Amino acid sequence: GQQLNQSPQSMFIQEGEDVSMNCTSSSIFNTWLWYKQDPGEGPVLLIALYKAGELTSNGRLTAQFGITRKDSFLNISASIPSDVGIYFCAGRAGNTPLVFGKGTRLSVIA
Amino acid sequence: ETGVTQTPRHLVMGMTNKKSLKCEQHLGHNAMYWYKQSAKKPLELMFVYSLEERVENNSVPSRFSPECPNSSHLFLHLHTLQPEDSALYLCASSQDHTGLEQFFGPGTRLTVL
């Protein structure tokens, strides 16, 4: 089945630093989503991308739908302690179910 | 608060027990999902319901039995589970089963002894 490679698996950063993470797929996707999961909670949708090349922001978060349609990037600017959590990418090709990455665990050191 | 609630939040059960997980969505969505989340693995889709009909069943063992009595409620009935079934079980909903923007509940942390 389809698989997503999400990297890095984990990150330790200083408060105030910018963060970048990405997701790649072996297939062409027509949708990319980014979720954040806090400890003890379910994933919460951050950003949805529907067109190749699309760049969308949500506060300090910016995500891009790669031109090749096989990748997506999430950037967080000026990280703060509450950014801690696991960030998941998810994508879909055609009408198939959403496929999720394994997540990037972000730790912020104050 | 995503509009999707799950109960119980935590459950410990023996392998011979029967228990049920409950999910309720207050978003007026028509599709509901069960996912299994295990450590260091991607979210695994288990079941999809659209307008109370099952549209997806990803080769899930029969010891997991879903039930969708209406578009707002989804259950996962558990029977004779195995320790490897211990995981976080997440419920989600979306506008319809082709909808991509899924809203997740907080999950039920299940431990099978």
Side-chain angles (χ1 to χ4, degrees), chain B residues 11-102:
Chain B
L11 178 62
V12 179
M13 59 187 289
M15 289 191 283
T16 58
N17 291 158
K18 287 184 182 181
K19 296 287 184 184
S20 295
L21 310 185
K22 179 183 175 183
C23 176
E24 183 173 359
Q25 58 97 359
H26 311 274
L27 301 168
H29 288 166
N30 293 318
M32 297 186 77
Y33 309 77
W34 279 117
Y35 286 89
K36 177 183 178 183
Q37 186 176 35
S38 305
K40 299 185 179 178
K41 284 181 155 184
L43 280 171
E44 299 172 54
L45 180 63
M46 299 175 73
F47 301 104
V48 181
Y49 275 83
S50 176
L51 295 171
E52 300 119 62
E53 288 192 20
R54 191 188 306 180
V55 297
E56 188 90 26
N57 174 2
N58 279 5
S59 302
V60 178
S62 59
R63 57 186 184 269
F64 294 92
S65 173
E67 179 190 0
C68 188
N70 55 62
S71 58
S72 299
H73 294 86
L74 185 65
F75 295 89
L76 188 63
H77 303 299
L78 315 172
H79 177 47
T80 58
L81 295 192
Q82 305 297 311
E84 60 264 28
D85 295 322
S86 299
L88 183 68
Y89 288 84
L90 291 162
C91 171
S93 72
S94 65
Q95 189 61 49
D96 57 52
H97 77 281
T98 64
L100 297 166
E101 296 183 19
Q102 296 180 17

Side-chain angles (χ1 to χ4, degrees), chain A residues 4 30-31 33 35 37 40-45 48 50 86 88 92 95-98 100-102, chain B residues 2 9 35 37 40-43 45 56 58 88 90 97-107:
Chain A
L4 294 184
N30 54 24
T31 303
L33 304 174
Y35 285 86
Q37 186 173 23
E41 300 295 330
V44 174
L45 182 63
Y50 298 103
I86 304 176
F88 292 97
R92 193 173 86 164
N95 287 324
T96 57
L98 270 181
F100 286 81
K102 291 185 179 181
Chain B
T2 62
R9 294 293 306 271
Y35 286 89
Q37 186 176 35
K40 299 185 179 178
K41 284 181 155 184
L43 280 171
L45 180 63
E56 188 90 26
N58 279 5
L88 183 68
L90 291 162
H97 77 281
T98 64
L100 297 166
E101 296 183 19
Q102 296 180 17
F103 293 80
F104 285 84

